Amino acid sequence: MKFEFYKPERNVTGPAYNPFFKLLATVVTAFLAAYGWNIVMRFPLLQYGIGVKALLLGAAVMLVISYYWFLRSTVTVDEKGITQTWMYNRQVEWRDIRSAKMIGIPFLSWIFPPRLVVRTGNAFTTFNGGSQAVLVEFAKISLAYQMKK
């Protein structure tokens, strides 16, 4: 029989980033894309070496991939643990968690909502919450592990 310290009452799934943060990501991505297009139009990039071309192409690809995952990333809290989808998925099982705490940036929580920082052994994993249901579950997890001390 395994002892697990925390078990959620129900499964909770929601976006990892709130709508305002997604809007901010859209504005920054559009600005960077426009700036990149401005650079392409002003400079004769075909005359530069393959390294410069590869660097600019790599930067553009990473911008598109990051933007895609900002919009699509989700967080799930279930009976197995906490999972956040991204380019690579972050997953922590309940049996591996040593402590959990919510952290936030004072006065900027309307842009950057609080995050759940989970300690597993020597590593820390951060989970973002973009919906009220996920943030409430994060608060319950944080409270449960603070009472454990």
Side-chain angles (χ1 to χ4, degrees), residues 4-10 78-80 94 137 145:
E4 294 178 354
F5 186 73
Y6 183 79
K7 195 82 154 176
E9 296 173 11
R10 62 183 177 89
D78 58 14
E79 67 277 350
K80 292 182 271 182
W94 295 119
E137 194 64 34
Y145 280 95

Side-chain angles (χ1 to χ4, degrees), residues 1-4 93 95:
M1 181 173 167
K2 292 182 187 175
F3 175 72
E4 294 178 354
E93 295 181 6
R95 62 188 165 124

Side-chain angles (χ1 to χ4, degrees), residues 96-122:
D96 297 333
I97 297 176
R98 289 190 179 184
S99 66
K101 185 175 185 179
M102 283 187 74
I103 61 167
I105 300 173
F107 309 111
L108 291 178
S109 61
W110 56 282
I111 299 175
F112 307 107
R115 294 170 174 86
L116 183 70
V117 178
V118 175
R119 181 174 182 211
T120 58
N122 293 332

Side-chain angles (χ1 to χ4, degrees), residues 71-85:
L71 298 181
R72 294 274 326 245
S73 183
T74 60
V75 174
T76 302
V77 179
D78 58 14
E79 67 277 350
K80 292 182 271 182
I82 309 169
T83 305
Q84 181 173 339
T85 60

Side-chain angles (χ1 to χ4, degrees), residues 122-142:
N122 293 332
F124 290 93
T125 306
T126 304
F127 295 98
N128 300 296
S131 71
Q132 191 67 27
V134 173
L135 290 174
V136 166
E137 194 64 34
F138 282 178
K140 290 178 184 178
I141 294 167
S142 177

